[in-house]
Amino acid sequence: MSYMLPHLHNGWQVDQAILAEEERVVVIRFGHDWDPTCMQMDEILYKITEKVKNFVAIYLVDITEVPDFNKMYELYDPCTVMFFYRNKHIMIDLGTGNNNKINWALDDEQEMIDIVETVYRGASKGRGLVVSPKDYSTKYRY
């Protein structure tokens, strides 16, 4: 479903997407459209887009086409989802030890809705780190 979601093709577009959005959380999936993990995550992101459009903007970035952020955000995984709010990176405690990003594909759209809703509520209150509604430390998925 990656063809249904907006792509950002250079570093300037990524910066503008993060800078320009004042009221919504910016969710960026870094990865490749051809990667199976990204395909699964894109499917979930596409399914929730209409439900969360009032408080979330979702974008896709190909890490080969736009390598500008690979070192800065440590984008070494096949699929990485990061959250930004008012030009600030919002970290999320998923119980995995890596609070910067989600680096596996979720398989339930309600889980993703819960996560972005938690990020939005926390970020709009000024928090830079929010706690995930579900603990992923017991899952062998990261």
Side-chain angles (χ1 to χ4, degrees):
M1 282 298 153
S2 66
Y3 58 88
M4 298 295 284
L5 295 167
H7 283 71
L8 303 173
H9 298 287
N10 56 45
W12 186 81
Q13 287 180 338
V14 175
D15 283 340
Q16 289 307 305
I18 295 169
L19 284 166
E21 200 58 68
E22 286 292 322
E23 298 302 318
R24 299 189 296 175
V25 171
V26 176
V27 177
I28 300 180
R29 191 274 291 151
F30 294 96
H32 298 101
D33 293 345
W34 48 261
D35 187 271
T37 309
C38 286
M39 286 182 195
Q40 186 179 352
M41 191 54 139
D42 292 349
E43 188 76 31
I44 296 298
L45 292 172
Y46 173 69
K47 286 180 180 175
I48 71 164
T49 301
E50 196 59 35
K51 297 173 185 165
V52 299
K53 68 180 179 187
N54 292 334
F55 61 95
V56 175
I58 299 172
Y59 298 102
L60 307 182
V61 176
D62 187 315
I63 58 175
T64 306
E65 184 183 1
V66 187
D68 308 14
F69 303 97
N70 294 358
K71 278 203 171 111
M72 187 193 319
Y73 294 138
E74 299 172 0
L75 303 173
Y76 308 123
D77 301 299
C79 183
T80 302
V81 175
M82 297 182 75
F83 305 93
F84 301 89
Y85 185 73
R86 292 188 179 159
N87 195 24
K88 185 177 173 194
H89 175 221
I90 304 300
M91 296 188 292
I92 180 162
D93 183 4
L94 300 156
T96 60
N98 184 356
N99 294 345
N100 295 322
K101 57 196 170 226
I102 298 174
N103 54 3
W104 68 90
L106 296 171
D107 50 8
D108 181 20
E109 54 188 279
Q110 189 57 49
E111 273 181 47
M112 191 65 188
I113 291 172
D114 293 345
I115 289 172
V116 295
E117 193 173 347
T118 303
V119 169
Y120 175 73
R121 287 182 184 190
S124 60
K125 291 177 184 170
R127 295 192 177 102
L129 173 68
V130 297
V131 180
S132 167
K134 182 177 176 185
D135 185 13
Y136 292 92
S137 63
T138 57
K139 292 244 184 207
Y140 188 68
R141 297 201 310 195
Y142 51 87

